[in-house]
Amino acid sequence: MKTFSATPADIDKKWILIDAEGVVLGRLASIVAMRLRGKHKASFTPSMDMGDNVIVINADKVQLTGNKRNKPNYWHTGYPGGIKSRTTGQILEGAHPERVVMQAVKRMLPGNKLSRQQMTNLRVYAGAEHPHEAQDPTVLDVASMNKKNTRSA
């Protein structure tokens, strides 16, 4: 018996729609990262882009546990003394709340060329509207998978 290794002809990509409203950010990001890599499939091959296309809506309504809303996020402009920071709460309330979900998923993938290619299969939207109705995505209810996936405030 030989070990199965998938080829590009064996790959079947689906479209998945996930509603992030009320879902804890880390649990959402781990499920999305697993779907992007394709680890939920029995024919998973680590060197191939086997994952599905994932659409995340309502990214501005994602929940954070503990005191993570006040956690600073740093970046550097490249100039001397150019370190800047913004809290996660400020980013969620700002103009681009989808960046919080994108960064969380990105950090759960390995840092290589394949994961950067897999990140192109992720679409995150702050509101409930998305332009991918033509792909007929199947809805994945992350909130009902585990009672810990939602935060009861």
Side-chain angles (χ1 to χ4, degrees), residues 4-43:
F4 176 77
S5 185
T7 61
D10 299 329
I11 297 173
D12 180 33
K13 287 184 169 279
K14 294 183 171 72
W15 284 81
I16 307 292
L17 177 67
I18 297 175
D19 189 1
E21 185 173 359
V23 179
V24 176
L25 176 64
R27 289 172 171 272
L28 171 72
S30 66
I31 291 168
V32 170
M34 180 185 66
R35 291 282 174 165
L36 284 176
R37 287 201 69 199
K39 292 189 89 170
H40 63 289
K41 297 180 180 179
S43 61

Side-chain angles (χ1 to χ4, degrees), residues 82-143:
I83 194 158
K84 294 189 174 193
S85 70
R86 204 174 278 150
T87 66
T88 307
Q90 289 173 331
I91 296 171
L92 280 173
E93 294 161 4
H96 303 285
E98 60 273 0
R99 290 181 183 169
V100 174
V101 176
M102 292 282 285
Q103 191 72 302
V105 172
K106 181 181 176 185
R107 289 175 176 171
M108 290 198 180
L109 294 173
N112 55 27
K113 290 180 184 179
L114 182 59
S115 66
R116 287 188 288 277
Q117 179 185 348
Q118 290 166 344
M119 279 296 289
T120 61
N121 296 329
L122 174 65
R123 279 89 172 173
V124 182
Y125 299 100
E129 300 296 319
H130 64 89
H132 305 287
E133 289 297 328
Q135 282 73 29
D136 193 28
T138 57
V139 177
L140 180 67
D141 192 7
V142 176

Side-chain angles (χ1 to χ4, degrees), residues 46-59:
S47 61
M48 298 295 293
D49 182 10
M50 305 211 37
D52 296 331
N53 294 295
V54 180
I55 306 163
V56 179
I57 58 172
N58 291 323

